Amino acid sequence: MNPLLRTDRLLLTPDTPADEKEFVALFQDASVSRWMGDGPSTEAEDRALFGRISSKVYAENRFEVWAVKVGGELVGHAEIKPTEASGGHEIIYALAPGAWGRGLGTELALALVGHGFDTLGLTEVHATVAAENAASLALLGRSGFVHVRDIQEDDGSTTRLLTCPRGSTPAVRAPGSPETAQTR
């Protein structure tokens, strides 16, 4: 089962049945889902995805998936998993629009990368982002990711592959500590 991850403001927990409504709402928000996978899905498809997280991903320990919470409220979704496109482990994240512009995305990305390095023992972590998603590209740049190559998609769009090598992320302040420390 996924470990809990904590940052100054975020708590990453495994999804529970009580999270389904907020999970579906997050993925049904067009400003979020336009950047996820193949874009917006139907509500039924998002409910089925939520079901597969419990019945397949968690049950078979396939990879790590979390509900992202602030003060007990679900504000996002996060994963770290091996992908063919990256040739390694990739972080995947989504935050609700109400959580945008507060530095939570950078905090989340750094927590995922720190987990990849410290817990999974990875030497690099990857991300794939639509070339038009300037906000995510900037967030990943602040988090130590560098552009590696472009992937031309079947629909003619471009996806950027970015990599964060171990040792290139900025330090993250541990909760309650005046000194900097790695994300736990």
Side-chain angles (χ1 to χ4, degrees):
M1 192 67 153
N2 289 18
L4 295 179
L5 300 181
R6 293 181 192 273
T7 69
D8 281 345
R9 299 177 291 171
L10 302 173
L11 174 63
L12 282 67
T13 67
D15 286 290
T16 67
D19 296 327
E20 182 176 10
K21 181 180 178 182
E22 290 84 2
F23 174 95
V24 171
L26 175 69
F27 279 75
Q28 285 293 294
D29 187 311
S31 61
V32 174
S33 63
R34 71 181 282 213
W35 303 116
M36 302 297 292
D38 293 326
S41 299
T42 66
E43 183 177 336
E45 290 169 326
D46 289 337
R47 287 191 188 286
L49 173 61
F50 185 85
R52 284 192 305 276
I53 289 171
S54 293
S55 67
K56 298 281 185 196
V57 177
Y58 291 148
E60 298 173 8
N61 200 27
R62 290 185 176 185
F63 53 89
E64 296 178 353
V65 178
W66 296 274
V68 179
K69 298 182 179 184
V70 172
E73 177 189 355
L74 190 142
V75 298
H77 172 83
E79 306 176 13
I80 186 167
K81 65 182 182 180
T83 64
E84 188 176 314
S86 70
H89 280 71
E90 180 177 344
I91 64 169
I92 297 165
Y93 57 88
L95 289 174
W100 295 355
R102 300 178 3 208
L104 296 173
T106 302
E107 194 170 322
L108 176 58
L110 290 170
L112 295 171
V113 169
H115 178 72
F117 293 152
D118 299 339
T119 303
L120 301 179
L122 304 175
T123 59
E124 58 186 15
V125 176
H126 307 281
T128 54
V129 180
E132 300 82 29
N133 190 344
S136 239
L137 290 169
L139 180 156
L140 291 167
R142 288 189 301 273
S143 302
F145 283 79
V146 294
H147 177 245
V148 174
R149 66 181 166 90
D150 286 343
I151 301 166
Q152 295 304 309
E153 303 294 348
D154 292 339
D155 66 0
S157 65
T158 301
T159 298
R160 299 256 157 96
L161 174 65
L162 298 100
T163 299
C164 181
R166 180 184 284 277
S168 68
T169 58
V172 177
R173 217 170 80 25
S177 169
E179 301 176 17
T180 56
Q182 291 182 332
T183 302
R184 291 173 272 132

